[in-house]
Amino acid sequence: QVQLVESGGGLVQPGGSLRLSCAASGRTFSSYAMGWFRQAPGKEREFVARISRSGGSTAYADSVKGRFTISRDNTKNTVYLQLNSLKPEDTANYYCAASVGPVGGAYDYWGQGTQVTVSS
């Protein structure tokens, strides 16, 4: 089992940047594929980005491609999401998730989320 704790959210102006972090407990972090999701008020949770166990493979939602970058540091048990060129529509609670199955499959563990608000 793994526990996930997100951090790095906040209030940022349009066009600004943030870096979200997700710290995982346990010694088997490298055995999990990781993903980031977000949920805006009144909307369903949506996929943002995912990364393979080694970090060699990534995928993004079309809405964030070219602006967001997912990465991981298995020595620090942490996955990151760099958010650039932020737009008001990026406002949401951002969650990280861990999967014991194949990349792109279902996620087994979820964090509590960190709020990102993009507003002038």
Side-chain angles (χ1 to χ4, degrees):
Q1 189 166 346
V2 64
Q3 292 185 324
L4 305 171
V5 179
E6 301 95 335
S7 62
L11 173 64
V12 62
Q13 292 186 342
S17 298
L18 285 174
R19 188 174 83 155
L20 308 183
S21 299
C22 173
S25 65
R27 295 177 290 178
T28 59
F29 177 70
S30 60
S31 67
Y32 297 99
M34 300 297 296
W36 283 95
F37 293 77
R38 67 186 182 185
Q39 187 168 19
K43 295 187 177 181
E44 294 190 353
R45 185 172 62 196
E46 64 175 354
F47 165 77
V48 175
R50 64 172 179 256
I51 189 167
S52 62
R53 290 165 176 79
S54 68
S57 176
T58 58
Y60 298 90
D62 287 343
S63 58
V64 307
K65 201 172 295 183
R67 301 188 298 120
F68 292 7
T69 303
I70 189 171
S71 61
R72 67 189 295 163
D73 186 339
N74 287 344
T75 67
K76 296 182 178 180
N77 285 10
T78 302
V79 62
Y80 304 97
L81 187 67
Q82 178 69 40
L83 289 65
N84 295 331
S85 302
L86 281 162
K87 304 175 181 180
E89 52 263 42
D90 294 318
T91 295
N93 203 9
Y94 283 71
Y95 301 87
C96 71
S99 171
V100 300
V103 174
Y107 288 84
D108 304 284
Y109 304 102
W110 294 82
Q112 294 299 307
T114 185
Q115 178 68 35
V116 172
T117 302
V118 184
S119 175
S120 54

